Amino acid sequence: MNTLQSIGYPIYFNDTLPELVNFIQQGNYSRFFILTDENTGKHCLPLIQAQVEKMDNFDIIEINAGEESKNIDFCVGVWKMLIDFGADRQSLLINLGGGVISDLGGFAASTYKRGIDFVHVPTTLLSQVDASVGGKTGIDLENIKNIIGTFTQPKAVFIEHAFLNTLPARQILSGLAEMLKHGLIADAGYWNKLKFSDLQNPSAELVHHSVAIKNKVVIEDPHEKGIRKSLNFGHTIGHAVETYSLMNDDNPLTHGEAIAIGMICESKLSVMKTGLKDDELNEIVDIIGGLYPAYEIDRPCYKTLYNIMLKDKKNQNGKINCSLLTKIGECRIDNVCTEEELYASLAYYSSL
Amino acid sequence: MNTLQSIGYPIYFNDTLPELVNFIQQGNYSRFFILTDENTGKHCLPLIQAQVEKMDNFDIIEINAGEESKNIDFCVGVWKMLIDFGADRQSLLINLGGGVISDLGGFAASTYKRGIDFVHVPTTLLSQVDASVGGKTGIDLENIKNIIGTFTQPKAVFIEHAFLNTLPARQILSGLAEMLKHGLIADAGYWNKLKFSDLQNPSAELVHHSVAIKNKVVIEDPHEKGIRKSLNFGHTIGHAVETYSLMNDDNPLTHGEAIAIGMICESKLSVMKTGLKDDELNEIVDIIGGLYPAYEIDRPCYKTLYNIMLKDKKNQNGKINCSLLTKIGECRIDNVCTEEELYASLAYYSSL
Ligand SMILES: NC(=O)c1ccc[n+]([C@@H]2O[C@H](COP(=O)([O-])OP(=O)(O)OC[C@H]3O[C@@H](n4cnc5c(N)ncnc54)[C@H](O)[C@@H]3O)[C@@H](O)[C@H]2O)c1
Ligand SMILES: NC(=O)c1ccc[n+]([C@@H]2O[C@H](COP(=O)([O-])OP(=O)(O)OC[C@H]3O[C@@H](n4cnc5c(N)ncnc54)[C@H](O)[C@@H]3O)[C@@H](O)[C@H]2O)c1
Ligand SMILES: [Zn+2]
Ligand SMILES: [Zn+2]
């Protein structure tokens, strides 16, 4: 599998940990910091430590696992640790973990001393196929996802399939939602391939294919002025459902579980607005519905979800914007959806 | 006085408030936010309000005056106000105030929804000749100045001399220190002109000259890899003295007062290390000493100051780096100074 070239940095596949060691040794860095959470500190850090001879100038910064850590308090905590450890401008931050680690670590690094270098070593399927590529960093504030952040590219990304061995099945499914999205918005052939694959254990080849799709899109449109918005398919409604679940559920939905719901709703909207065929909708519902548990969304929630959408940074001037499918493998951006249309799509999901 | 072109944005002089109104009307902005502090809200905002016909889509965000506000708590406050006011990606933030407002506002804007547009309307002499030009944004953390921030350029800068009418004399002197610095590091002719000017009331022409010097340097080296470091003359020691004073004094030094001390110390270092002549040092001490009050720095403080310098983001690998003069009007960057040399320069200052 080829190394991919992204916006000024390489994305490595295959046996990537020796590649990481190489990068560390060849770079002109004074100090190294590894950001982990409780789980990646336990499951993933040892794989790196096994590769590096001596780690005299390595310091570990560990945060709690989960989306609840992706906020300004933990970010200040990371900044303070960097200060206390004496991180200078020649330091490198290695983000070892899922999307929470890469988003938070990327933001902390891009603002520490007006920006130090960082690399991502994504350890969840979701962060491998999505969060680690494209240069978006971010934290949540006031229950709004990624409302604060920067566009800053990492210096390299190391995608190591071996990390997925310890990843819980539910987290695999979370990342899978983005892979399905990649097929739906950009590559019908890939979608068909996915349909007949072992989706509980996506192969390294499928991961590579997904990254290649995402990478192509972000290279074309780094700052999301146009085509990159296609990656938001399923995310207008999905993000709102995710936020809602985070605020209300004891065991909240994963990102992918929420996006799966969003993709079903937005496929319905695609039938209503952008010409997706009914049998394509049924195929999508079949595949996604067979993979993800149903989630109850009562009619009284609709207004709450709508208000969350209004605060989403994708939306402007009080208008809700969706990226919708014209057919499987093709996406059209900037479709304004009315409150009624959005409610109809939520009702469709609940009727299944 | 000419409009200057900076890194992708104009710096307006002369009658600039109509220019600002023009910018506001021609831009494709959905909403406008003006960031002020108590003083600029009182003294400067009315001058803008007098120019704008109706300000339906304007919201004011006011923070406390002073360096103590340049921290993450106030930044979170600004972010939350933007959220609550419903600021979308098409919003413009107008930073109306001194360096605290432009640094904090620039940082808040550059990270809100991964970056919204902002302009600076600097109202102190310091922010007119220095802080508003060059794209550095920042906040303080753990008593370290500007340790968190980004490089993000404003969309325009409007330098209006009229604002200085209400500025206290002590704040004029604070900005003057940077103007003297511009002469010392880059333009002996300008230094000589300053010597014979009314320095309590610097003219609009002198302000323009200073901005032109700073602008030339930052255009050449936006990310401070080389020549831009010359602007740090006086700041290695000056920043440490400023931080020390902020932590210990009831009525702390202004930035310029601290930099004035730093310039005397670093001129002494320049004699010791980079060939500045003794009579040039005496001339510098004469001018600066005649303008700024003496500040007591006891020998027991030296170590404290040194430790502050070690945490300064300009310094790496435990080495203290100074930009020093080779002669009046010329600067050499990257001079490593030992603890003893730094102490000798502090002792020199105290001996005056
Ligand atoms: N920047 C982007 O472009 C982008 C794109 C998509 C998603 N995201 C963000 O990513 C986040 C979600 O990412 P995520 O699902 O990876 O979340 P996550 O980082 O919280 O990881 C999920 C869970 O898996 C654990 N884990 C990680 N690697 C493991 C491993 N190898 N073995 C065992 N456990 C492991 C983590 O500790 C965590 O409990 C969200 O905050 C989302 O906003 C960002
Ligand atoms: N970004 C950069 O490149 C850069 C460069 C130099 C300094 N700075 C930063 O700038 C800050 C210092 O700037 P400053 O001295 O302007 O501080 P400031 O913003 O605190 O202003 C000084 C005081 O003057 C008041 N004031 C402002 N305009 C006024 C007016 N027109 N009339 C009456 N009162 C007025 C303010 O309320 C404040 O009390 C520091 O934080 C420093 O780090 C940044
Ligand atoms: Zn997603
Ligand atoms: Zn200064």
Side-chain angles (χ1 to χ4, degrees), chain B residues 126 130 178 181 231 235 239 242 255-256 259:
Chain B
L126 181 78
D130 193 354
E178 307 287 357
K181 180 191 76 180
L231 294 169
H235 281 64
H239 262 169
E242 183 180 13
H255 180 69
I259 296 314

Side-chain angles (χ1 to χ4, degrees), chain B residues 102-133:
Chain B
S102 53
D103 278 12
L104 174 71
F107 181 67
S110 72
T111 49
Y112 182 72
K113 301 199 176 192
R114 297 202 184 93
I116 60 170
D117 284 1
F118 61 91
V119 296
H120 294 318
V121 185
T123 63
T124 63
L125 182 58
L126 181 78
S127 58
Q128 292 191 349
V129 298
D130 193 354
S132 66
V133 174

Side-chain angles (χ1 to χ4, degrees), chain A residues 111 113-114 137 147-149, chain B residues 111 113-114 137 147-149:
Chain A
T111 49
K113 302 200 176 193
R114 298 204 184 91
T137 77
I147 184 82
I148 305 301
Chain B
T111 49
K113 301 199 176 192
R114 297 202 184 93
T137 78
I147 184 80
I148 304 303

Side-chain angles (χ1 to χ4, degrees), chain B residues 37 39 67 70 98-100 103 123-124 126 136 145 163 166:
Chain B
D37 67 24
N39 297 319
E67 185 74 24
K70 217 178 93 173
V100 166
D103 278 12
T123 63
T124 63
L126 181 78
K136 284 188 182 176
K145 281 190 53 92
F163 287 128
T166 56

